[in-house]
């Protein structure tokens, strides 16, 4: 293989192909696969032994093991999601409450304006009723005097 190439991409592809050939040749046989399988089985047995020893020691020391911590982590994530949902709900409720308060302010102002208009109308009606009542009373007095003057009563 040459070390000086014009295109570094081609050089690295050729290098990769050469390395793959050198790795593939000794590993592509039944004896290698069987030996690798045995080594993995031995490794897994050791992992299981170490895990059981670790679990026993953790239980004796009253400490949580990996599964306990994973369960707690799941619960924490669930609680965080619920808190986020509650935060969103509270925010939405606050926004709606502010909108409702604004509508109540507008309604209150409109009600006050309507009350002022109605109060003016009532005052006019009362004045009008008083004037009509006075006119009626004066009319009745006039009729009373007119009838007394016909009957011969003294008005002086």
């Amino acid at each position: 293989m040459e070390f000086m190439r014009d295109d570094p991409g081609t050089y690295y592809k050729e290098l990769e192909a050469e390395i793959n050939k050198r790795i593939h040749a000794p590993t592509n046989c039944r004896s290698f696969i069987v030996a690798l399988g045995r080594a993995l089985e031995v490794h897994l047995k050791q992992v299981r032994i170490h895990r059981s020893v670790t679990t026993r020691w953790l239980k004796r020391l009253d400490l949580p093991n990996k599964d306990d911590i994973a369960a707690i982590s799941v619960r924490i994530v669930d609680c965080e999601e619920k808190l986020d949902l509650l935060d969103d709900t509270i925010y939405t409720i606050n926004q709606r409450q502010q909108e409702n308060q604004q509508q109540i302010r507008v309604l209150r102002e409109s009600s006050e304006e309507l009350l002022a208009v109605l109060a003016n109308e009532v005052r006019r009606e009362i004045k009008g009723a008083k004037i009509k009542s006075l006119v009626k009373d004066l009319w009745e007095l006039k009729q009373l005097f007119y009838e007394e003057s016909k009957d011969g009563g003294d008005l002086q």
Side-chain angles (χ1 to χ4, degrees), residues 7-134:
D7 185 20
T10 325
Y11 170 72
Y12 287 116
K13 285 182 183 177
E14 289 175 3
L15 181 62
E16 180 183 7
E18 181 66 29
I19 291 171
N20 284 340
K21 283 181 194 174
R22 290 184 183 182
I23 292 172
H24 189 68
T27 59
N28 191 19
C29 63
R30 179 166 169 59
S31 60
F32 178 79
I33 300 296
V34 171
L36 181 65
R38 286 183 190 144
L40 282 175
E41 287 175 7
V42 168
H43 174 72
L44 287 176
K45 284 180 186 178
Q46 288 177 350
V47 167
R48 287 184 192 118
I49 291 169
H50 287 278
R51 187 174 289 163
S52 67
V53 168
T54 304
T55 304
R56 275 189 259 137
W57 273 105
L58 289 173
K59 283 183 182 178
R60 284 183 186 164
L61 295 173
D62 197 25
L63 295 172
N65 61 19
K66 182 179 177 182
D67 295 334
D68 296 337
I69 292 173
I72 290 171
S73 298
V74 168
R75 288 188 68 194
I76 288 172
V77 169
D78 289 343
C79 290
E80 286 176 350
E81 289 173 359
K82 289 177 183 177
L83 284 173
D84 289 342
L85 179 63
L86 287 174
D87 283 342
D88 292 342
T89 304
I90 289 171
Y91 177 77
T92 303
I93 288 171
N94 282 337
Q95 291 297 323
R96 288 182 184 165
Q97 184 178 12
Q98 289 176 357
E99 290 171 6
N100 290 341
Q101 287 175 345
Q102 180 63 29
Q103 290 174 354
I104 288 172
R105 280 188 216 109
V106 169
L107 181 63
R108 184 180 303 128
E109 290 170 1
S110 299
S111 297
E112 289 171 355
E113 290 173 7
L114 182 60
L115 181 62
V117 168
L118 289 175
N120 283 336
E121 289 295 320
V122 167
R123 278 189 227 119
R124 283 189 205 148
E125 283 292 321
I126 290 173
K127 284 181 183 177
K130 284 182 181 179
I131 291 173
K132 286 180 185 177
S133 175
L134 283 173

